[in-house]
Amino acid sequence: MNDSHIRGSFISIEGIEGVGKSTNIRFICEFLNRLGIANIATREPGGTPISEKIRDLLLEVSNKSICPMAELLMMFSGRAQHICEIIEPALASGSWVICDRFTDATYAYQGAGRGLSVDLIQQLEILVQGAIRPDLTLIFDIQTNLGLERANQRGNPDRFEREDIEFFDRARHCYLTIADASPDRCKLIDASQSIGQVQSEIRDLLEQFVASRT
Ligand code: TMP
């Protein structure tokens, strides 16, 4: 059998600021490397040169006047480029894709956070992504104030990080609702646990997931 015909799996990593996504993404890639599973780590907004320019526009603090609809379309514009240039070719070649945020973040931030309609986001999701959906989503959850406290330690907050706690509360609750509504795809992980406990949960979930895909 020719392995190049086996499509890779698409894993997205979600959660509000300060849940420790970057550390856990490194852990996931190392885990997959040990199993000999080819993988790439990427992120949204961003992931390609053009999408990274859109990311810069979105995060730039002085761009206060970006309206919610423009923000939503910029997210999906960067996503369209990311899918076409990176995600789809990688999956088609058999590589797994580990993406730091994907469309669940749009429901959480532009939907719940900014108050844009879920229906509109769903329509854009269908239009832009076609059949592309994560096969597995790890949602890291933490009490909003704890997450923000951790994120603030990094300093130099971007345009999103300057939002008030209610904005992130709405995003967090949207993530919890998504996890509840899609239990097969979404696995909720308590990010307030020790790093050892978090990584042991990730390992268990990935072992099950890999077994289900191979
Ligand atoms: P990051 O801090 O995880 O790199 O993400 C940058 C910000 O972008 C973060 O505050 C969440 C936000 N975001 C959205 O608002 N909508 C989206 O669709 C995505 C992917 C990210």
Side-chain angles (χ1 to χ4, degrees):
M1 194 168 72
N2 187 343
D3 275 356
S4 64
H5 292 292
I6 300 174
R7 205 173 154 79
S9 295
F10 182 19
I11 302 179
S12 60
I13 309 299
E14 298 280 2
I16 61 164
E17 339 306 274
V19 292
K21 289 182 287 112
S22 309
T23 313
N24 291 320
I25 287 170
R26 277 195 296 278
F27 176 80
I28 292 167
C29 293
E30 282 161 17
F31 177 91
L32 295 175
N33 288 341
R34 278 198 299 278
L35 294 181
I37 296 175
N39 63 85
I40 58 157
T42 185
R43 69 172 178 184
E44 289 209 353
T48 78
I50 290 169
S51 313
E52 289 289 329
K53 286 187 184 169
I54 297 173
R55 176 191 177 87
D56 290 344
L57 285 174
L58 282 161
L59 300 195
E60 170 55 50
V61 174
S62 66
N63 287 339
K64 287 193 186 67
S65 61
I66 296 178
C67 69
M69 181 62 80
E71 184 178 286
L72 174 69
L73 295 173
M74 286 162 84
M75 290 294 174
F76 270 109
S77 166
R79 184 162 297 141
Q81 186 66 29
H82 192 203
I83 289 171
C84 142
E85 201 175 327
I86 301 286
I87 299 177
E88 175 54 31
L91 294 174
S93 77
S95 177
W96 288 33
V97 174
I98 317 305
C99 196
D100 185 342
R101 299 191 187 280
F102 198 61
T103 307
D104 293 314
T106 313
Y107 285 102
Y109 287 78
Q110 282 65 53
R114 303 279 190 227
L116 291 174
S117 108
V118 169
D119 191 51
L120 173 63
I121 300 172
Q122 269 167 350
Q123 289 179 41
L124 288 167
E125 183 177 30
I126 293 165
L127 180 73
V128 169
Q129 295 171 217
I132 300 266
R133 298 287 182 285
D135 299 298
L136 173 70
T137 298
L138 302 183
I139 300 180
F140 291 93
D141 180 57
I142 197 163
Q143 247 181 285
T144 312
N145 57 334
L146 285 182
L148 294 184
E149 227 169 78
R150 286 189 191 177
N152 286 339
Q153 283 165 11
R154 290 197 291 256
N156 206 15
D158 62 36
R159 195 174 63 86
F160 285 99
E161 288 165 342
R162 284 165 196 247
E163 291 297 331
D164 55 24
I165 189 162
E166 287 76 21
F167 176 86
F168 294 103
D169 257 338
R170 292 195 294 278
R172 179 188 178 207
H173 284 101
C174 179
Y175 276 133
L176 294 174
T177 306
I178 292 171
D180 229 35
S182 308
D184 289 341
R185 171 176 70 90
C186 297
K187 307 297 169 195
L188 196 63
I189 296 174
D190 176 359
S192 69
Q193 304 176 97
S194 72
I195 184 87
Q197 286 169 315
V198 168
Q199 294 188 341
S200 140
E201 261 191 53
I202 296 175
R203 195 180 310 111
D204 290 349
L205 286 167
L206 285 180
E207 275 167 2
Q208 284 171 32
F209 182 72
V210 168
S212 76
R213 307 294 283 189
T214 46

